[in-house]
Amino acid sequence: MTRDSARNIFVGGTLVVSVIFLVMTYLSHASYPERTHPENLTEEVVWGKHVWEKHACINCHTLLGEGAYYAPELGNVIARRGVEGTRFILETSAKQGWGQTRKMPQFDLSEKDITGLVEFFIWMGNVDTNNWPPNIEG
Ligand code: HEC
């Protein structure tokens, strides 16, 4: 192989891969509205996200696989526990913490905080992630 053909393969390959990368990036971004339903971001959902960040829930939990692995994934908590079950856990933890051996701290969550968190989890659960992360209970 000559020096010129090696350079051409390098430059051509880089260009082709860059174009593929840019097209795939564009296609991913274009699909976000359909996958995340931004029209469902109500004030309650936004408040829930605020509470989530204020208490750094991600220091123990994961959301869609991102975060810490001490406590359960919560992107699908509504599918696993239901709205009432999730609300019950948050109400209990607001008073006394939650769990038996690995405990979740008590956060003094108000009624508004709990409603926001539940709405935030409902919104999260409707994000189309191609079923990622694949954690199904039981
Ligand atoms: C210090 C670590 C820690 C932090 C911070 C934390 N949690 Fe937890 N959480 C836990 C543990 C541990 C469990 C599981 C307890 C058990 O099931 O015995 C849990 C369980 C839960 C559950 C029930 C999950 C399930 O699948 O049963 C919910 C909902 C939850 N946490 C919400 C939150 C929210 C909201 C925050 C932030 C306000 C938060 N957690 C912050 C440790 C934490």
Side-chain angles (χ1 to χ4, degrees):
M1 188 186 293
T2 66
R3 217 183 120 99
D4 273 358
S5 58
R7 192 200 56 217
N8 290 344
I9 288 171
F10 170 75
V11 172
T14 305
L15 278 176
V16 169
V17 171
S18 301
V19 169
I20 292 173
F21 175 76
L22 288 175
V23 170
M24 288 176 84
T25 305
Y26 172 78
L27 290 177
S28 293
H29 279 264
S31 74
Y32 288 167
E34 199 180 300
R35 286 173 179 270
T36 60
H37 303 287
E39 69 279 7
N40 296 343
L41 288 171
T42 59
E43 268 177 34
E44 285 169 333
V45 175
V46 173
W47 182 255
K49 171 100 184 331
H50 167 75
V51 176
W52 172 265
E53 283 169 0
K54 179 176 155 205
H55 294 295
C57 312
I58 205 134
N59 282 353
C60 292
H61 291 276
T62 49
L63 258 191
L64 307 185
E66 289 279 331
Y69 296 101
Y70 178 68
E73 160 71 35
L74 294 181
N76 59 4
V77 68
I78 297 291
R80 290 184 296 105
R81 299 277 179 254
V83 171
E84 288 313 310
T86 305
R87 175 170 281 281
F88 172 79
I89 290 170
L90 293 174
E91 279 168 357
T92 311
S93 78
K95 293 188 199 113
Q96 65 187 42
W98 175 256
Q100 308 263 311
T101 43
R102 280 188 306 173
K103 266 226 174 218
M104 168 154 140
Q106 197 267 81
F107 283 112
D108 264 334
L109 300 171
S110 67
E111 190 50 40
K112 183 183 173 199
D113 294 347
I114 291 172
T115 302
L117 283 168
V118 169
E119 291 298 320
F120 175 57
F121 291 139
I122 292 173
W123 179 79
M124 224 43 230
N126 287 323
V127 172
D128 178 2
T129 60
N130 294 335
N131 295 326
W132 185 263
N135 69 348
I136 298 148
E137 212 169 19

